[in-house]
Amino acid sequence: MSEDIVPRLESYLARVLAQPDLEVSALARIPGGASRETYRFRIRYGGGGAQTERGLILRRDPPASLIETERATEYRAYQAFHALGLPVPEPIALEESGDFLGRPFFIMEEIENCQVGNILASNPYGDHRDQIGQQFFGALGRIAQADVDAIGLGDLDGTRDPARCWSHELERWQKVIEEDETEPQPIVHAGLRWLRRNPPPPAQRISVVHGDYRTGNFLFDAKGDIRAILDWEMTHLGDPLEDLAWALDPLWSHGDPSRPAGTIARPQALAIWEKESGIRLDTAALAWWEIFASLKGCAIWMSAAREYAQGRNTDPVNAFSGWYCLAFHNNVLAERLGAA
Amino acid sequence: MTPETDQILNLSAMKLITEFAPALGTQYGQGMAQVVAVLLFMAGQDVERGAAIRVAENADMRTLFGALAPQMADEILRKELETAARSPEGALTISALNTVNARLRRLLIRLHAALDDSGADATAVWTVLKAMAARRTVTLPAL
């Protein structure tokens, strides 16, 4: 089935890159989450002179998506942060019609010889744990620090009103919960009420929020360097604490919440983020966003469960998310709110 | 039955992870086979404990409703809580337990919201919710 799209991909890229002799080879689907189909392939062109060969990644919309996301937004985020010098793959092409590959897609550079940390592994980074943690929270601080207008993302979805960041996101995810709740979730409803009754202070700055900054969404190499921050599909404007809280979430801590993302100690992670972002951390505000993170997780996993249960997207990752991850976040939310 | 269903699922999961997945030719196939193996392991756990979890959860909610119903000013809600508190469990299939569980959960949401709205103590509700969440947490083998 993958091979069926090779001629179409070849003709599309030959036109976009103005390389009539471009050839596509070694197309193979790779794991890349349930929200887009991900393929690795190689291109070669320049037969008459200096020949160029490189690896690329194709991200194509599936028949049904886990969450409704804007591929154009994701593509623009890749453009902006690649230009800023963050470890982000170079975006190559965005196609929003289904004219070429049946569904919309985008293409970006393949970052080779890297791996993703498995969220179920107890120590996915081995001896590079500290180095990866420093880079992970440092890069997140740099995302928070970036001027949204200067990098051309000032018009993203979200809000530019610091006082409304929390309510904007809460309303967004409450809508998802209302639409995708296939079995009653009493802890989630309690979470919604608590978050509304106990609002955080206004955001200190409006930043680009990655939206899913965590273990599993970055690539690292054998030297322990983060080479690519991926999956910008939920990028929006908002309070940078939203991203920090998500990155700190116990689901990504590999069994030890005192070492977020399975890397460095939490105080060190927060200190690095503060230094790189230039934002002095408000711990009360962060506590609100951490509870919100658990609720947002529940909303995403409820969507995954619904997609799978109703047969719209039977990727087994959706079954895992809708079962394991939902149970995990329900437990985190209950423990946090039951003590609040 | 010998072997038992949970054993079949757990051992199949292990075979899939350690033998079958590595033999697949593509990274995508290997990755997906590993996720399916984890799902088999989770299903193995649920075969063993799924009915017990739901029976305990339903019993907890009925006990809670019986204890808190007298505090409810809303007469309709109070009567619904009293009725639910006395309701029998019925069939012990997962689907039947889920149907009852969903009905009780919807009532629990209304009860909790009513307590929150009135500023009443919801400690007893949180005790039940924490127990529910803890029971349903899935433990996976280290990879």
Side-chain angles (χ1 to χ4, degrees):
Chain A
M1 185 168 161
S2 298
E3 292 304 312
D4 293 347
I5 64 175
V6 168
R8 289 180 280 160
L9 192 54
E10 217 158 45
S11 111
Y12 175 81
L13 278 171
R15 183 178 59 80
V16 168
L17 298 178
Q19 299 291 340
D21 63 341
L22 183 143
E23 291 175 9
V24 167
S25 62
L27 181 79
R29 190 167 177 184
I30 58 173
S35 57
R36 303 254 193 277
E37 293 174 359
T38 308
Y39 299 84
R40 163 193 289 145
F41 64 99
R42 298 195 72 76
I43 58 169
R44 189 170 53 201
Y45 55 83
Q51 205 167 66
T52 298
E53 182 172 346
R54 68 186 304 197
L56 298 180
I57 295 291
L58 164 69
R59 297 262 288 159
R60 181 168 72 156
D61 283 18
S65 188
L66 169 55
I67 38 174
E68 297 303 324
T69 59
E70 286 290 337
R71 76 202 61 76
T73 297
E74 181 173 16
Y75 191 78
R76 287 177 60 202
Y78 278 111
Q79 286 178 313
F81 285 102
H82 177 74
L84 206 61
L86 254 79
V88 168
E90 178 192 1
I92 305 293
L94 168 68
E95 179 53 54
E96 296 201 78
S97 80
D99 296 349
F100 297 90
L101 301 182
R103 284 169 247 145
F105 63 89
F106 69 87
I107 293 167
M108 61 184 171
E109 164 193 21
E110 181 186 14
I111 307 295
E112 299 181 60
N113 302 315
C114 286
Q115 58 179 306
V116 175
N118 184 334
I119 70 162
L120 299 180
S122 57
N123 181 15
Y125 310 120
D127 294 341
H128 297 307
R129 184 176 68 173
D130 288 1
Q131 180 181 330
I132 286 175
Q134 287 158 13
Q135 293 182 14
F136 178 74
F137 286 100
L140 184 58
R142 289 176 65 196
I143 294 168
Q145 194 270 340
D147 182 314
V148 300
D149 292 313
I151 63 172
L153 297 179
D155 62 340
L156 287 186
D157 184 29
T159 179
R160 299 193 66 146
D161 179 354
R164 286 199 60 244
C165 290
W166 72 271
S167 57
H168 186 277
E169 287 308 301
L170 191 57
E171 283 161 17
R172 173 187 178 191
W173 291 104
Q174 180 166 352
K175 187 166 178 283
V176 172
I177 289 164
E178 286 166 356
E179 288 173 357
D180 292 345
E181 184 177 20
T182 50
E183 64 176 359
Q185 299 288 341
I187 297 166
V188 171
H189 283 270
L192 286 168
R193 292 193 301 273
W194 188 93
L195 288 164
R196 203 166 281 289
R197 279 200 315 271
N198 299 277
Q204 295 182 51
R205 178 188 299 161
I206 296 298
S207 299
V208 172
V209 176
H210 177 287
D212 196 12
Y213 194 90
R214 61 168 173 85
T215 292
N217 278 345
F218 66 85
L219 299 175
F220 63 98
D221 64 20
K223 293 178 183 170
D225 286 320
I226 292 182
R227 298 278 308 284
I229 299 165
L230 306 170
D231 289 340
W232 295 74
E233 59 204 55
M234 292 199 284
T235 299
H236 58 277
L237 298 182
D239 190 329
L241 292 185
E242 182 188 344
D243 260 348
L244 180 60
W246 187 247
L248 295 168
D249 192 89
L251 184 56
W252 328 118
S253 72
H254 303 270
D256 181 2
S258 72
R259 287 186 172 271
T263 60
I264 50 181
R266 180 180 165 109
Q268 190 187 356
L270 298 181
I272 291 170
W273 184 86
E274 278 190 305
K275 179 172 177 287
E276 292 295 333
S277 67
I279 296 171
R280 188 174 175 82
L281 201 54
D282 179 329
T283 51
L286 180 61
W288 188 94
W289 283 105
E290 288 194 84
I291 289 174
F292 171 81
S294 306
L295 181 99
K296 171 178 156 179
C298 287
I300 294 171
W301 316 136
M302 286 162 67
S303 294
R306 183 176 181 228
E307 291 293 305
Y308 190 87
Q310 297 185 346
R312 284 202 297 270
N313 185 339
T314 54
D315 188 318
V317 171
N318 277 342
F320 177 78
S321 301
W323 188 353
Y324 175 85
C325 298
L326 181 57
F328 188 101
H329 266 144
N330 251 312
N331 196 39
V332 172
L333 203 50
E335 286 299 322
R336 284 176 166 166
L337 291 175
Chain B
M1 176 185 175
T2 303
E4 293 293 344
T5 310
D6 59 332
Q7 184 187 25
I8 292 170
L9 291 168
N10 291 338
L11 290 177
S12 297
M14 291 307 295
K15 280 278 184 192
L16 195 50
I17 284 181
T18 59
E19 293 181 31
F20 307 149
L24 291 172
T26 66
Q27 187 185 348
Y28 178 73
Q30 289 174 0
M32 288 301 103
Q34 286 173 358
V35 178
V36 171
V38 171
L39 289 172
L40 288 178
F41 184 84
M42 290 165 63
Q45 269 187 21
D46 208 51
V47 162
E48 172 63 14
R49 63 177 200 161
I53 285 174
R54 288 157 176 80
V55 167
E57 203 170 276
N58 292 349
D60 278 0
M61 286 191 277
R62 289 190 185 94
T63 302
L64 182 73
F65 296 163
L68 295 186
Q71 297 177 27
M72 291 297 109
D74 179 337
E75 192 177 339
I76 294 171
L77 179 57
R78 186 173 68 239
K79 285 186 175 168
E80 284 187 55
L81 290 168
E82 287 167 350
T83 302
R86 291 192 303 266
S87 62
E89 190 58 84
L92 295 179
T93 60
I94 293 292
S95 57
L97 288 167
N98 279 347
T99 301
V100 172
N101 185 258
R103 194 162 60 234
L104 295 173
R105 279 174 171 238
R106 279 191 285 273
L107 197 50
L108 179 58
I109 291 169
R110 288 171 56 203
L111 166 64
H112 199 175
L115 291 171
D116 282 354
D117 288 347
S118 66
D121 181 14
T123 304
V125 176
W126 278 113
T127 301
V128 169
L129 290 176
K130 285 199 277 189
M132 286 167 67
R135 274 191 213 104
R136 295 224 180 203
T137 300
V138 181
T139 306
L140 296 176
L143 295 177

